[in-house]
Amino acid sequence: MIEYEHLSYKREPDLHNRCCNGMVWCIKDICGIICAIMTWMLILYAEFVVIYVMLLPSPYPIYSAINMILFQLFAFLAFASHLRTMFTDPGAVPKGNATKEMISMMGFREGQVIFKCPKCCSIKPERAHHCSVCQRCIRKMDHHCPWVNNCVGENNQKYFVLFTFYIALISIHALFLSVNHFIFCIRHEWKECSVYSPPATVVFLLFLVFEALLFAIFTAVMLGTQMQAIWHDETGIEQLKKEEARWVKKSRWKSIQSVFGRFSLAWFSPFSSPQLRSKVESYLHSV
């Protein structure tokens, strides 16, 4: 196990995978950017159908108001979680820090083993893996997700879990509203159930049902996979490779806290950070 006791040197700001003068983490991968834009467009489509096709024309104002508030809230939290996952440094290890000068200044004890990544020339902390898309070693890398155009790692796993959670919620909510609206339209013989023609309304609803069903299943499975990995203090890569645990595994509650922080309503907020790192986990966090 590698323990980094202190860092007494200063580095130039690492601008790799960053934009806005180094202030924002950003992966310049065309496939990931297209997938991220598609995600935003699908959320906006669901917003359009739910609000303008189903709820605003509804003759039941209380039903419309309650469902509109709930859907807008969960959609906003899903969108915010996606942005936080996408633009948060997942735990990148500084590129090219595996030089003799740097190593000599890190205060290693005699006999310690140092792992070096040959691809990005960096000293690899324990449980770090190299991502070929990000071209960096990522601490506690779980996987690279094109839908968020980023790796899921130590620093942004909470936001990714929240993203899957809120997408699953709005998908289930959209399914419920779509079925209700179909029933309402059929009972009223498609009169005053939508501002659009019956064929257009059917097309809108069918596409929304297909989208919601697909993403409800996908995100629910992904959410379950993530929670299982956190529960057992393993990453997706470690489970896939069936790596033997050379690290001291945290208890299940400590493992959850390491991702979400101490239990509070902030667990469900994409605007709060856990900030529960140890010295080892904080190694070179400030890039």
Side-chain angles (χ1 to χ4, degrees), residues 65-80:
I66 292 173
N67 282 289
M68 195 177 298
I69 291 170
L70 285 176
F71 192 86
Q72 291 287 69
L73 175 64
F74 293 143
F76 170 74
L77 290 171
F79 187 70

mmCIF file with all atom_site columns, all heavy atoms in Angstrom, residues 65-80:
data_model
loop_
_atom_site.group_PDB
_atom_site.id
_atom_site.type_symbol
_atom_site.label_atom_id
_atom_site.label_alt_id
_atom_site.label_comp_id
_atom_site.label_asym_id
_atom_site.label_entity_id
_atom_site.label_seq_id
_atom_site.pdbx_PDB_ins_code
_atom_site.Cartn_x
_atom_site.Cartn_y
_atom_site.Cartn_z
_atom_site.occupancy
_atom_site.B_iso_or_equiv
_atom_site.pdbx_formal_charge
_atom_site.auth_seq_id
_atom_site.auth_comp_id
_atom_site.auth_asym_id
_atom_site.auth_atom_id
_atom_site.pdbx_PDB_model_num
ATOM 1   N N   . ALA A 1 65 ? -50.954 20.762 -11.337 1.00 0.00 ? 65 ALA A N   1
ATOM 2   C CA  . ALA A 1 65 ? -49.980 21.555 -10.579 1.00 0.00 ? 65 ALA A CA  1
ATOM 3   C C   . ALA A 1 65 ? -49.039 20.663 -9.776  1.00 0.00 ? 65 ALA A C   1
ATOM 4   O O   . ALA A 1 65 ? -47.819 20.866 -9.785  1.00 0.00 ? 65 ALA A O   1
ATOM 5   C CB  . ALA A 1 65 ? -50.702 22.524 -9.651  1.00 0.00 ? 65 ALA A CB  1
ATOM 6   N N   . ILE A 1 66 ? -49.591 19.670 -9.079  1.00 0.00 ? 66 ILE A N   1
ATOM 7   C CA  . ILE A 1 66 ? -48.763 18.775 -8.254  1.00 0.00 ? 66 ILE A CA  1
ATOM 8   C C   . ILE A 1 66 ? -47.772 18.010 -9.114  1.00 0.00 ? 66 ILE A C   1
ATOM 9   O O   . ILE A 1 66 ? -46.573 17.950 -8.822  1.00 0.00 ? 66 ILE A O   1
ATOM 10  C CB  . ILE A 1 66 ? -49.649 17.802 -7.445  1.00 0.00 ? 66 ILE A CB  1
ATOM 11  C CG1 . ILE A 1 66 ? -50.442 18.566 -6.381  1.00 0.00 ? 66 ILE A CG1 1
ATOM 12  C CG2 . ILE A 1 66 ? -48.789 16.718 -6.786  1.00 0.00 ? 66 ILE A CG2 1
ATOM 13  C CD1 . ILE A 1 66 ? -51.458 17.719 -5.646  1.00 0.00 ? 66 ILE A CD1 1
ATOM 14  N N   . ASN A 1 67 ? -48.258 17.426 -10.196 1.00 0.00 ? 67 ASN A N   1
ATOM 15  C CA  . ASN A 1 67 ? -47.380 16.632 -11.066 1.00 0.00 ? 67 ASN A CA  1
ATOM 16  C C   . ASN A 1 67 ? -46.371 17.491 -11.806 1.00 0.00 ? 67 ASN A C   1
ATOM 17  O O   . ASN A 1 67 ? -45.233 17.064 -12.043 1.00 0.00 ? 67 ASN A O   1
ATOM 18  C CB  . ASN A 1 67 ? -48.215 15.823 -12.055 1.00 0.00 ? 67 ASN A CB  1
ATOM 19  C CG  . ASN A 1 67 ? -48.822 14.580 -11.423 1.00 0.00 ? 67 ASN A CG  1
ATOM 20  O OD1 . ASN A 1 67 ? -48.129 13.624 -11.118 1.00 0.00 ? 67 ASN A OD1 1
ATOM 21  N ND2 . ASN A 1 67 ? -50.132 14.627 -11.210 1.00 0.00 ? 67 ASN A ND2 1
ATOM 22  N N   . MET A 1 68 ? -46.764 18.715 -12.136 1.00 0.00 ? 68 MET A N   1
ATOM 23  C CA  . MET A 1 68 ? -45.833 19.615 -12.817 1.00 0.00 ? 68 MET A CA  1
ATOM 24  C C   . MET A 1 68 ? -44.680 19.999 -11.886 1.00 0.00 ? 68 MET A C   1
ATOM 25  O O   . MET A 1 68 ? -43.511 19.997 -12.295 1.00 0.00 ? 68 MET A O   1
ATOM 26  C CB  . MET A 1 68 ? -46.560 20.871 -13.297 1.00 0.00 ? 68 MET A CB  1
ATOM 27  C CG  . MET A 1 68 ? -45.767 21.687 -14.314 1.00 0.00 ? 68 MET A CG  1
ATOM 28  S SD  . MET A 1 68 ? -46.687 23.123 -14.915 1.00 0.00 ? 68 MET A SD  1
ATOM 29  C CE  . MET A 1 68 ? -48.094 22.349 -15.683 1.00 0.00 ? 68 MET A CE  1
ATOM 30  N N   . ILE A 1 69 ? -45.002 20.316 -10.640 1.00 0.00 ? 69 ILE A N   1
ATOM 31  C CA  . ILE A 1 69 ? -43.962 20.683 -9.669  1.00 0.00 ? 69 ILE A CA  1
ATOM 32  C C   . ILE A 1 69 ? -43.010 19.516 -9.437  1.00 0.00 ? 69 ILE A C   1
ATOM 33  O O   . ILE A 1 69 ? -41.781 19.681 -9.441  1.00 0.00 ? 69 ILE A O   1
ATOM 34  C CB  . ILE A 1 69 ? -44.598 21.144 -8.342  1.00 0.00 ? 69 ILE A CB  1
ATOM 35  C CG1 . ILE A 1 69 ? -45.301 22.485 -8.530  1.00 0.00 ? 69 ILE A CG1 1
ATOM 36  C CG2 . ILE A 1 69 ? -43.546 21.259 -7.245  1.00 0.00 ? 69 ILE A CG2 1
ATOM 37  C CD1 . ILE A 1 69 ? -46.160 22.908 -7.355  1.00 0.00 ? 69 ILE A CD1 1
ATOM 38  N N   . LEU A 1 70 ? -43.580 18.317 -9.241  1.00 0.00 ? 70 LEU A N   1
ATOM 39  C CA  . LEU A 1 70 ? -42.743 17.135 -8.987  1.00 0.00 ? 70 LEU A CA  1
ATOM 40  C C   . LEU A 1 70 ? -41.844 16.830 -10.180 1.00 0.00 ? 70 LEU A C   1
ATOM 41  O O   . LEU A 1 70 ? -40.640 16.587 -10.025 1.00 0.00 ? 70 LEU A O   1
ATOM 42  C CB  . LEU A 1 70 ? -43.624 15.927 -8.667  1.00 0.00 ? 70 LEU A CB  1
ATOM 43  C CG  . LEU A 1 70 ? -44.277 15.885 -7.289  1.00 0.00 ? 70 LEU A CG  1
ATOM 44  C CD1 . LEU A 1 70 ? -45.192 14.675 -7.164  1.00 0.00 ? 70 LEU A CD1 1
ATOM 45  C CD2 . LEU A 1 70 ? -43.214 15.852 -6.190  1.00 0.00 ? 70 LEU A CD2 1
ATOM 46  N N   . PHE A 1 71 ? -42.434 16.840 -11.379 1.00 0.00 ? 71 PHE A N   1
ATOM 47  C CA  . PHE A 1 71 ? -41.643 16.493 -12.564 1.00 0.00 ? 71 PHE A CA  1
ATOM 48  C C   . PHE A 1 71 ? -40.558 17.527 -12.818 1.00 0.00 ? 71 PHE A C   1
ATOM 49  O O   . PHE A 1 71 ? -39.413 17.175 -13.122 1.00 0.00 ? 71 PHE A O   1
ATOM 50  C CB  . PHE A 1 71 ? -42.550 16.376 -13.796 1.00 0.00 ? 71 PHE A CB  1
ATOM 51  C CG  . PHE A 1 71 ? -41.852 15.739 -14.971 1.00 0.00 ? 71 PHE A CG  1
ATOM 52  C CD1 . PHE A 1 71 ? -41.826 14.362 -15.106 1.00 0.00 ? 71 PHE A CD1 1
ATOM 53  C CD2 . PHE A 1 71 ? -41.209 16.507 -15.935 1.00 0.00 ? 71 PHE A CD2 1
ATOM 54  C CE1 . PHE A 1 71 ? -41.173 13.759 -16.173 1.00 0.00 ? 71 PHE A CE1 1
ATOM 55  C CE2 . PHE A 1 71 ? -40.557 15.919 -17.002 1.00 0.00 ? 71 PHE A CE2 1
ATOM 56  C CZ  . PHE A 1 71 ? -40.540 14.541 -17.119 1.00 0.00 ? 71 PHE A CZ  1
ATOM 57  N N   . GLN A 1 72 ? -40.883 18.801 -12.684 1.00 0.00 ? 72 GLN A N   1
ATOM 58  C CA  . GLN A 1 72 ? -39.899 19.854 -12.892 1.00 0.00 ? 72 GLN A CA  1
ATOM 59  C C   . GLN A 1 72 ? -38.768 19.756 -11.868 1.00 0.00 ? 72 GLN A C   1
ATOM 60  O O   . GLN A 1 72 ? -37.598 19.962 -12.199 1.00 0.00 ? 72 GLN A O   1
ATOM 61  C CB  . GLN A 1 72 ? -40.557 21.228 -12.797 1.00 0.00 ? 72 GLN A CB  1
ATOM 62  C CG  . GLN A 1 72 ? -41.500 21.547 -13.936 1.00 0.00 ? 72 GLN A CG  1
ATOM 63  C CD  . GLN A 1 72 ? -40.780 21.849 -15.231 1.00 0.00 ? 72 GLN A CD  1
ATOM 64  O OE1 . GLN A 1 72 ? -40.188 20.958 -15.837 1.00 0.00 ? 72 GLN A OE1 1
ATOM 65  N NE2 . GLN A 1 72 ? -40.813 23.088 -15.664 1.00 0.00 ? 72 GLN A NE2 1
ATOM 66  N N   . LEU A 1 73 ? -39.106 19.464 -10.623 1.00 0.00 ? 73 LEU A N   1
ATOM 67  C CA  . LEU A 1 73 ? -38.091 19.343 -9.570  1.00 0.00 ? 73 LEU A CA  1
ATOM 68  C C   . LEU A 1 73 ? -37.125 18.211 -9.879  1.00 0.00 ? 73 LEU A C   1
ATOM 69  O O   . LEU A 1 73 ? -35.900 18.396 -9.849  1.00 0.00 ? 73 LEU A O   1
ATOM 70  C CB  . LEU A 1 73 ? -38.763 19.119 -8.221  1.00 0.00 ? 73 LEU A CB  1
ATOM 71  C CG  . LEU A 1 73 ? -37.825 18.848 -7.035  1.00 0.00 ? 73 LEU A CG  1
ATOM 72  C CD1 . LEU A 1 73 ? -36.930 20.056 -6.765  1.00 0.00 ? 73 LEU A CD1 1
ATOM 73  C CD2 . LEU A 1 73 ? -38.619 18.484 -5.781  1.00 0.00 ? 73 LEU A CD2 1
ATOM 74  N N   . PHE A 1 74 ? -37.670 17.024 -10.183 1.00 0.00 ? 74 PHE A N   1
ATOM 75  C CA  . PHE A 1 74 ? -36.812 15.867 -10.443 1.00 0.00 ? 74 PHE A CA  1
ATOM 76  C C   . PHE A 1 74 ? -36.012 16.040 -11.739 1.00 0.00 ? 74 PHE A C   1
ATOM 77  O O   . PHE A 1 74 ? -34.852 15.616 -11.824 1.00 0.00 ? 74 PHE A O   1
ATOM 78  C CB  . PHE A 1 74 ? -37.651 14.583 -10.511 1.00 0.00 ? 74 PHE A CB  1
ATOM 79  C CG  . PHE A 1 74 ? -38.279 14.202 -9.201  1.00 0.00 ? 74 PHE A CG  1
ATOM 80  C CD1 . PHE A 1 74 ? -39.549 13.641 -9.154  1.00 0.00 ? 74 PHE A CD1 1
ATOM 81  C CD2 . PHE A 1 74 ? -37.612 14.410 -8.002  1.00 0.00 ? 74 PHE A CD2 1
ATOM 82  C CE1 . PHE A 1 74 ? -40.125 13.281 -7.952  1.00 0.00 ? 74 PHE A CE1 1
ATOM 83  C CE2 . PHE A 1 74 ? -38.182 14.064 -6.788  1.00 0.00 ? 74 PHE A CE2 1
ATOM 84  C CZ  . PHE A 1 74 ? -39.445 13.500 -6.771  1.00 0.00 ? 74 PHE A CZ  1
ATOM 85  N N   . ALA A 1 75 ? -36.619 16.671 -12.748 1.00 0.00 ? 75 ALA A N   1
ATOM 86  C CA  . ALA A 1 75 ? -35.904 16.919 -14.005 1.00 0.00 ? 75 ALA A CA  1
ATOM 87  C C   . ALA A 1 75 ? -34.751 17.896 -13.792 1.00 0.00 ? 75 ALA A C   1
ATOM 88  O O   . ALA A 1 75 ? -33.650 17.714 -14.330 1.00 0.00 ? 75 ALA A O   1
ATOM 89  C CB  . ALA A 1 75 ? -36.868 17.454 -15.065 1.00 0.00 ? 75 ALA A CB  1
ATOM 90  N N   . PHE A 1 76 ? -35.000 18.930 -12.989 1.00 0.00 ? 76 PHE A N   1
ATOM 91  C CA  . PHE A 1 76 ? -33.935 19.895 -12.689 1.00 0.00 ? 76 PHE A CA  1
ATOM 92  C C   . PHE A 1 76 ? -32.791 19.225 -11.939 1.00 0.00 ? 76 PHE A C   1
ATOM 93  O O   . PHE A 1 76 ? -31.610 19.443 -12.250 1.00 0.00 ? 76 PHE A O   1
ATOM 94  C CB  . PHE A 1 76 ? -34.499 21.040 -11.846 1.00 0.00 ? 76 PHE A CB  1
ATOM 95  C CG  . PHE A 1 76 ? -33.441 21.966 -11.293 1.00 0.00 ? 76 PHE A CG  1
ATOM 96  C CD1 . PHE A 1 76 ? -32.787 22.867 -12.107 1.00 0.00 ? 76 PHE A CD1 1
ATOM 97  C CD2 . PHE A 1 76 ? -33.081 21.906 -9.946  1.00 0.00 ? 76 PHE A CD2 1
ATOM 98  C CE1 . PHE A 1 76 ? -31.806 23.715 -11.610 1.00 0.00 ? 76 PHE A CE1 1
ATOM 99  C CE2 . PHE A 1 76 ? -32.101 22.739 -9.438  1.00 0.00 ? 76 PHE A CE2 1
ATOM 100 C CZ  . PHE A 1 76 ? -31.458 23.647 -10.262 1.00 0.00 ? 76 PHE A CZ  1
ATOM 101 N N   . LEU A 1 77 ? -33.111 18.380 -10.956 1.00 0.00 ? 77 LEU A N   1
ATOM 102 C CA  . LEU A 1 77 ? -32.076 17.682 -10.183 1.00 0.00 ? 77 LEU A CA  1
ATOM 103 C C   . LEU A 1 77 ? -31.316 16.682 -11.060 1.00 0.00 ? 77 LEU A C   1
ATOM 104 O O   . LEU A 1 77 ? -30.103 16.506 -10.903 1.00 0.00 ? 77 LEU A O   1
ATOM 105 C CB  . LEU A 1 77 ? -32.695 16.977 -8.976  1.00 0.00 ? 77 LEU A CB  1
ATOM 106 C CG  . LEU A 1 77 ? -33.211 17.909 -7.867  1.00 0.00 ? 77 LEU A CG  1
ATOM 107 C CD1 . LEU A 1 77 ? -33.995 17.123 -6.820  1.00 0.00 ? 77 LEU A CD1 1
ATOM 108 C CD2 . LEU A 1 77 ? -32.055 18.656 -7.200  1.00 0.00 ? 77 LEU A CD2 1
ATOM 109 N N   . ALA A 1 78 ? -32.019 16.031 -11.990 1.00 0.00 ? 78 ALA A N   1
ATOM 110 C CA  . ALA A 1 78 ? -31.357 15.106 -12.921 1.00 0.00 ? 78 ALA A CA  1
ATOM 111 C C   . ALA A 1 78 ? -30.384 15.862 -13.816 1.00 0.00 ? 78 ALA A C   1
ATOM 112 O O   . ALA A 1 78 ? -29.244 15.425 -14.042 1.00 0.00 ? 78 ALA A O   1
ATOM 113 C CB  . ALA A 1 78 ? -32.394 14.370 -13.763 1.00 0.00 ? 78 ALA A CB  1
ATOM 114 N N   . PHE A 1 79 ? -30.832 17.006 -14.335 1.00 0.00 ? 79 PHE A N   1
ATOM 115 C CA  . PHE A 1 79 ? -29.994 17.820 -15.217 1.00 0.00 ? 79 PHE A CA  1
ATOM 116 C C   . PHE A 1 79 ? -28.783 18.361 -14.455 1.00 0.00 ? 79 PHE A C   1
ATOM 117 O O   . PHE A 1 79 ? -27.649 18.323 -14.955 1.00 0.00 ? 79 PHE A O   1
ATOM 118 C CB  . PHE A 1 79 ? -30.827 18.974 -15.781 1.00 0.00 ? 79 PHE A CB  1
ATOM 119 C CG  . PHE A 1 79 ? -30.117 19.782 -16.827 1.00 0.00 ? 79 PHE A CG  1
ATOM 120 C CD1 . PHE A 1 79 ? -29.853 19.255 -18.080 1.00 0.00 ? 79 PHE A CD1 1
ATOM 121 C CD2 . PHE A 1 79 ? -29.713 21.076 -16.563 1.00 0.00 ? 79 PHE A CD2 1
ATOM 122 C CE1 . PHE A 1 79 ? -29.197 19.994 -19.048 1.00 0.00 ? 79 PHE A CE1 1
ATOM 123 C CE2 . PHE A 1 79 ? -29.051 21.831 -17.530 1.00 0.00 ? 79 PHE A CE2 1
ATOM 124 C CZ  . PHE A 1 79 ? -28.801 21.290 -18.771 1.00 0.00 ? 79 PHE A CZ  1
ATOM 125 N N   . ALA A 1 80 ? -29.008 18.849 -13.228 1.00 0.00 ? 80 ALA A N   1
ATOM 126 C CA  . ALA A 1 80 ? -27.905 19.371 -12.411 1.00 0.00 ? 80 ALA A CA  1
ATOM 127 C C   . ALA A 1 80 ? -26.911 18.258 -12.064 1.00 0.00 ? 80 ALA A C   1
ATOM 128 O O   . ALA A 1 80 ? -25.692 18.467 -12.085 1.00 0.00 ? 80 ALA A O   1
ATOM 129 C CB  . ALA A 1 80 ? -28.451 20.002 -11.128 1.00 0.00 ? 80 ALA A CB  1
#
